[in-house]
């Protein structure tokens, strides 16, 4: 059974960092496409990062250079390291996964369609 469990959210000030975790079960990290997306009240869902199986991750333009995805195969966990956080990064962050290769260039601007997702973790960036 596939499960995704996010953690690591919190409240930080602008410029600070957070590392989100997505612990997965039911599949191996490199066998699935995995994405992170965020959603805030009144805003469209926004893809933050997307990684197709064992390929290099791709990022939302505004996240490029600030956010980094990494995998811990021993823990079957994927991380989203977020540096230089800004108020516009505030939102609920979710990880999602699908067994099929997902075209990241399509998924990032409209992060829908992956079969599995977690319950999310809240990130608040405020001074």
């Amino acid at each position: 059974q596939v499960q995704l469990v996010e953690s690591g959210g919190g409240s930080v000030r602008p410029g600070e960092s957070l590392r989100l975790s997505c612990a997965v079960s039911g599949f191996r990290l490199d066998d699935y496409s995995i994405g992170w997306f965020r959603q805030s009240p009144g805003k469209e869902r926004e893809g933050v990062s997307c990684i197709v199986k064992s390929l290099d991750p791709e990022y939302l333009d505004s996240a490029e250079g600030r956010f980094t995805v990494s995998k811990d195969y021993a823990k079957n966990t994927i991380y989203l390291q977020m540096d230089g956080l800004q108020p516009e990064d505030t939102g609920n962050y979710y990880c999602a996964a699908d067994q099929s290769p997902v075209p990241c260039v399509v998924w990032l601007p409209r992060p829908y369609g992956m079969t599995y997702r977690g319950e999310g973790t809240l990130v608040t960036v405020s001074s």
Side-chain angles (χ1 to χ4, degrees), residues 3-125:
Q3 283 191 313
L4 307 167
V5 180
E6 303 94 336
S7 62
S11 294
V12 297
R13 298 187 183 280
E16 294 184 342
S17 299
L18 281 173
R19 188 179 76 160
L20 306 184
S21 302
C22 176
V24 311
S25 57
F27 65 92
R28 296 187 307 172
L29 292 176
D30 282 355
D31 289 345
Y32 275 54
S33 301
I34 303 173
W36 285 93
F37 69 91
R38 64 191 180 194
Q39 189 150 30
S40 299
K43 294 178 68 175
E44 288 288 327
R45 183 183 293 190
E46 188 173 48
V48 175
S49 73
C50 172
I51 184 167
V52 178
K53 304 198 177 185
S54 61
L55 300 181
D56 291 336
E58 299 181 41
Y59 299 94
L60 175 72
D61 284 348
S62 64
E64 189 80 53
R66 298 189 300 128
F67 293 6
T68 306
V69 168
S70 62
K71 295 177 177 178
D72 184 331
Y73 296 97
K75 296 181 179 179
N76 220 35
T77 297
I78 187 165
Y79 299 100
L80 179 66
Q81 175 69 38
M82 305 188 295
D83 299 320
L85 284 162
Q86 299 300 318
E88 53 266 33
D89 296 316
T90 294
N92 278 298
Y93 281 70
Y94 302 84
C95 61
D98 198 283
Q99 194 170 10
S100 301
V102 172
C104 292
V105 65
V106 174
W107 189 84
L108 280 170
R110 284 187 54 81
Y112 295 90
M114 288 201 188
T115 304
Y116 306 100
R117 56 170 271 188
E119 295 299 312
T121 186
L122 179 62
V123 172
T124 303
V125 186

